[in-house]
């Protein structure tokens, strides 16, 4: 028996520059997976052919090798080399049929990678990026594409046996067992392989593609959850249509299956024709699911579907190219969501996520390029930078090209690379060739870390009517990535007459398009000077409209100008952006809050907006999150000071509007709306109003909240009310919490919310957190439940960085380092800005992290903590 011992010595760093194509291709693989209670058997037959000189290498981890044959001949142990990561055969023949039999243990696999037990009646797989090597020996790398035929066998108590592609055979066996055989006609890398063994029900539908292909659509979930699958099903059909209309991409198989599981490390996975989803990203029903969660379900369904072209048919040459598929696909799902609801609000929400997650990441010790050039553990690079900044890079190129040229570019990409495993260079080259615009300068965006700062100054000559902008870009030096270069920064721009608010027509040689009102300038040098002619009156400039580039803009606006833009900007996003800048001035630079408060109250804007776009109205009332504010503070950070300021501003806002909050609360009715997105906006506004009334100190508000809690059948409203009761310590709080638990005790996702609200209490002290952790429903085997508490705690930096918070995160990282290293690494990432804290906190944290560093074993946690302590 050969069982590999895990001996991670010094974790090995892998470099992009060392990429080598594989010595052998795998034309096809026949896989047979037989699941038993205490083990599973996997046979694999690989039809391999030599491409280059070199050893035949099969990657494998935690596999018990029972036998191996080449071209029918059994190999003895001296004919191959086996260690904890791979099996190597030197001098293999050029044509090799390799057959292996291994034993694996999905029933005790707590890492949720490879094949694992996801509940009493369910086994699923997660193979991206390197899970397949935990199922069988294989060249488990994305540039090896094969045809998969899969036989799945288990007891009949698991009626559902799924794998990718078409069902070609099924049958019964002795001993109460049965099997199915699936064949996937499309060649794919092993990370897209999936199989599912379980007791699930199914919701069925169908879709006919623009080519006339009838596709069977199936969503598998637990029986009680099937009614919660309709929104996802509709989103799937909408996505299929959207990709046809916007990118000309139809679906290519006869079936598309989605399986929901509550035991999942991430959101969802795009396995070919057989997506596997975290329940949180597929189940949606207004009675159980908040509006925000419903929006997320729709966007993740779209995301995984869009991967079929951007990720599956065209995949990545190696994992350094991860953002090739993820960045582009996030950009595509964001665009889809912009079409589902108010585009401005979608952009606001996406930019908020970028600024509160990606910007801080890129400003700290875990900063890396969207395409890194080295890593130890690729799982550590499923980051906001790869996903969100990656999406912004695609978006910048799309914005610069405009709709038509961008489409020509993507058409060329699909034409050139369908069926291939490619690189970021290939993508940019295809876009350039198809559009006729050279975009190669954008490669710099993929290759270097950090958020660029764009400093802009203005000058207006009232006699010549020339308005001048001078720009200077800079980027913080990075120890691991020297030689940082200027990047092309597209800046969407408008000039407004400071007196009338009228938008000027723009006249400048530097514009991408001259004589337009909504202009675009490409700042692609370290410094630039740009003149606008015929600006007949002093203007107020609006820069970086729609957040046209992921940069920190520095422009010396005074508060009055920002208030002016809030009033006169022509799009909701730009109004929001002005409001946010104003709010940052108050919260970070101690400006007086009166300009903002007056602008918001005096603006006829708000009452008007409430009628036309209630969602946007609710976002204009949003304050920058404490974590975003924290990301702007690089030293001597004191979370309590940020909180005090932010709370004071919220209280001012509560007071300033006086009775208006109550009017909003009592006169707006989500039921009067037929459009989901309008009703969602109204629910958001009413929940804000309820909180504001609580801030006003009204006690009557608790009765209103309790009434809302009891009478609604909508989760957004029920949670909105529960939050007010719990966070303001209302007398009805414990009653409501008990009621919520009883009502939803069989609904895991609702119970996650129940944990989260309590963990997000403004004073979540030790007793409270201990009580949650000790609750019988708290479960370290379910990442969603873990994240319910960490999400709640993490949403309030004062608690996150307090004694209780840091202990909770560090302890979890220690436990998960062994049990589930992907999650363990995430836990510790939450503390990556430890070095910004004021003393003595900073030193205390450092010591605790160093202790953890000494204990950590997994590559995941080791790499993360090493980077974190390298500042
Ligand atoms: N490709 C998936 C998605 O973004 C994410 C899978 C990540 N899995 C992981 N173990 N890191 O759609
Ligand atoms: Zn993805």
């Amino acid at each position: 028996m050969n069982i590999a011992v895990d001996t991670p010595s010094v974790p090995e760093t892998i470099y992009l520059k060392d990429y080598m194509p594989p010595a052998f291709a795998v034309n096809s693989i026949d896989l047979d997976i037989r699941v038993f209670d205490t083990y599973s058997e996997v046979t694999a037959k690989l039809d391999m052919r030599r491409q280059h000189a070199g050893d035949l290498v099969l990657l494998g981890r935690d596999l018990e090798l029972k036998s191996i044959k080449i071209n029918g001949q059994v190999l003895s142990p001296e004919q191959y080399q086996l260690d904890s990561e791979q099996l190597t055969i030197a001098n293999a023949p050029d044509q090799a049929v390799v057959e292996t039999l291994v034993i694996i243990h999905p029933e005790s696999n707590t890492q949720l990678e490879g094949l694992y037990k996801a509940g009493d009646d369910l086994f699923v797989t997660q193979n991206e990026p390197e899970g397949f090597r935990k199922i069988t020996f294989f060249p488990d790398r994305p540039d090896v594409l094969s045809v998969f035929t899969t036989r799945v066998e288990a007891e009949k108590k698991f009626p559902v046996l799924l794998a990718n592609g078409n069902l070609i055979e099924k049958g019964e066996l002795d001993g109460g067992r049965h099997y199915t055989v699936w064949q996937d006609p499309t060649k794919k890398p092993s990370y897209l392989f999936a199989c599912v063994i379980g007791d699930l029900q199914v919701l069925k539908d169908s879709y006919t593609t623009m080519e006339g292909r009838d596709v069977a659509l199936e969503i598998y979930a637990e029986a009680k959850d099937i009614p919660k699958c309709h929104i996802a099903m509709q989103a799937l059909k909408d996505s299929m249509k959207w990709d046809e209309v916007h990118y000309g991409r139809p679906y290519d198989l006869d079936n598309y299956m989605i399986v929901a599981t509550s035991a999942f490390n991430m959101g969802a996975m795009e396995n070919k024709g057989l997506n596997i989803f975290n329940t949180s990203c597929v189940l949606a029903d207004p009675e159980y699911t908040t509006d925000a969660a419903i929006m997320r379900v729709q966007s993740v369904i779209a995301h995984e579907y869009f991967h079929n072209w951007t990720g599956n048919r065209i995949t990545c040459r190696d994992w350094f190219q991860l953002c090739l598929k993820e960045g582009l696909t996030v950009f595509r799902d964001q665009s889809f969501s912009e079409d589902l609801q108010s585009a401005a609000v979608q952009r606001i929400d996406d930019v908020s996520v970028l600024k509160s997650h990606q910007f801080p990441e890129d400003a700290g010790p875990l900063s890396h390029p969207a395409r890194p050039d080295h890593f130890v553990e690729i799982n550590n690079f499923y980051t906001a930078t790869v996903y969100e900044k990656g999406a912004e890079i695609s978006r910048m190129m799309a914005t610069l090209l405009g709709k038509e040229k961008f489409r020509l570019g993507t058409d060329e990409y699909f034409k050139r690379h369908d069926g291939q495993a490619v690189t970021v260079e290939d993508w940019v080259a295809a876009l350039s060739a198809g559009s006729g615009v050279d975009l190669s300068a954008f490669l710099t965006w993929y290759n270097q870390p950090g958020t660029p700062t764009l400093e802009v100054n203005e000058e207006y000559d009232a006699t010549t009517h020339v308005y001048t902008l001078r720009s200077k870009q800079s980027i913080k030096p990075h120890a691991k990535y020297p030689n940082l270069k200027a990047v092309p920064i597209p800046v969407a721009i408008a000039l407004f007459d400071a007196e009338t608010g009228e938008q000027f027509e723009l006249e400048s040689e530097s514009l991408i398009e001259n004589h337009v009102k909504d202009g675009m300038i490409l700042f692609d040098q370290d410094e630039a000077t740009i003149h606008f002619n015929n600006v007949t009156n002093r203007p107020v400039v609006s820069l970086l409209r729609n957040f046209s580039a992921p940069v920190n803009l520095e422009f010396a606006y005074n508060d009055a100008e920002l208030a002016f833009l809030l009033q006169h900007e022509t799009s909701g996003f730009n109004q929001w952006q002005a409001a946010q800048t104003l709010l940052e001035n108050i919260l970070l630079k101690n400006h007086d809050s009166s300009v903002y408060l007056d602008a918001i109250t005096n603006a006829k804007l708000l009452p008007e907006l409430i009628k036309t776009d209630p969602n946007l109205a609710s976002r204009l009332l949003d304050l920058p999150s404490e974590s975003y504010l924290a990301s702007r503070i690089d030293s001597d950070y004191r979370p309590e000071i940020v909180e005090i300021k932010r709370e004071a501003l919220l209280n001012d806002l509560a007071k300033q509007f006086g009775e208006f909050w109550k009017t909003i609360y009592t006169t707006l009715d989500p039921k009067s709306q037929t459009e989901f997105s309008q009703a969602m906006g109204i629910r958001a506004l009413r929940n804000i109003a309820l909180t504001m009334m609580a801030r006003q100190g009204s006690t009557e508000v608790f009765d209103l909240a309790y009434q809302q809690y009891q009478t609604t059948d909508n989760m957004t409203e029920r949670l909105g009310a529960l939050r007010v009761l719990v966070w303001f310590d209302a007398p009805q709080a414990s009653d409501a919490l008990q009621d919520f638990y009883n009502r939803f005790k069989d609904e895991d996702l609702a119970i996650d919310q129940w944990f989260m609200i309590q963990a997000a209490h403004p004073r979540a002290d030790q007793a409270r957190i201990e009580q949650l952790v000790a609750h019988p429903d708290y479960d370290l085997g379910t990442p969603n439940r873990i994240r319910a508490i960490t999400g709640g705690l993490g949403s309030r930096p004062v608690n996150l960085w307090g004694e209780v918070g840091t202990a909770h995160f560090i302890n979890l990282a220690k436990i998960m380092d062994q049990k589930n290293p992907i999650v363990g690494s995430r836990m510790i990432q939450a503390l990556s800005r430890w070095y910004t804290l004021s003393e003595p906190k900073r030193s205390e944290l450092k010591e605790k992290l160093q202790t953890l560093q000494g204990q950590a074993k997994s590559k995941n946690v080791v790499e993360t903590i090493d980077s974190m302590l390298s500042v």
Side-chain angles (χ1 to χ4, degrees), residues 62 65 111 123 204 272 316 373 379 426 451 476 501 508 719 729 790:
D62 304 335
L65 180 64
Q111 306 186 343
F123 291 83
K204 295 187 178 186
K272 183 77 190 188
C316 302
D373 68 11
N379 270 301
D426 294 325
T451 304
K476 217 167 81 181
S508 170
L719 283 176
D729 297 316
T790 56

Side-chain angles (χ1 to χ4, degrees), residues 270 303-304 307 325-326 329 387:
E270 69 265 22
H303 180 95
E304 307 309 336
H307 267 316
K325 75 176 178 80
E326 294 306 343
T329 305
Y387 277 69

Side-chain angles (χ1 to χ4, degrees), residues 29-150:
I29 166 171
D30 290 325
L31 201 57
D32 186 354
I33 300 177
R34 302 180 291 277
V35 174
F36 298 92
D37 283 346
T38 55
Y39 66 99
S40 293
E41 282 176 354
V42 181
T43 3
K45 184 172 164 187
L46 282 53
D47 178 11
M48 304 182 76
R49 185 178 309 156
R50 183 180 294 282
Q51 309 280 88
H52 301 279
D55 294 344
L56 189 156
V57 176
L58 302 174
L59 300 167
R61 193 179 289 162
D62 304 335
L63 305 173
E64 187 183 323
L65 180 64
K66 291 303 220 186
S67 76
I68 176 164
K69 286 189 228 169
I70 279 200
N71 295 335
Q73 299 289 310
V74 176
L75 293 190
S76 57
E78 52 280 5
Q79 292 176 289
Y80 58 88
Q81 251 194 343
L82 180 64
D83 66 22
S84 65
E85 291 292 326
Q86 65 188 49
L87 190 158
T88 311
I89 303 169
N91 310 316
D94 293 350
Q95 302 270 356
V97 175
V98 180
E99 291 169 84
T100 58
L101 168 62
V102 301
I103 302 285
I104 56 175
H105 290 282
E107 73 286 347
S108 58
N109 175 350
T110 57
Q111 306 186 343
L112 316 188
E113 267 188 304
L115 177 64
Y116 63 92
K117 193 164 187 199
D120 290 340
D121 302 315
L122 187 62
F123 291 83
V124 300
T125 51
Q126 170 56 38
N127 292 329
E128 183 184 357
E130 300 181 336
F132 193 69
R133 65 189 65 185
K134 295 185 63 174
I135 297 177
T136 193
F137 284 104
F138 193 80
D140 182 22
R141 38 186 291 172
D143 57 352
V144 174
L145 278 63
S146 326
V147 171
F148 279 68
T149 306
T150 310

Side-chain angles (χ1 to χ4, degrees), residues 286-290 706 709-710 712 714-723 725-726 732-758 777 785:
E287 193 181 335
Y288 302 95
T289 320
T290 62
Y706 194 64
Y709 172 85
Q710 288 291 358
T712 183
N714 176 282
M715 189 54 96
T716 303
E717 294 189 322
R718 204 185 302 271
L719 283 176
L722 186 62
R723 243 175 242 130
L725 295 173
V726 173
Q732 300 91 329
S734 65
D735 253 18
L737 277 172
Q738 189 58 51
D739 177 88
F740 189 96
Y741 184 80
N742 293 340
R743 241 180 236 265
F744 297 110
K745 58 177 175 305
D746 299 323
E747 299 293 333
D748 290 343
L749 298 170
I751 295 300
D752 289 340
Q753 297 292 327
W754 183 83
F755 274 95
M756 172 112 61
I757 282 194
Q758 296 180 74
D777 291 348
R785 194 54 51 89

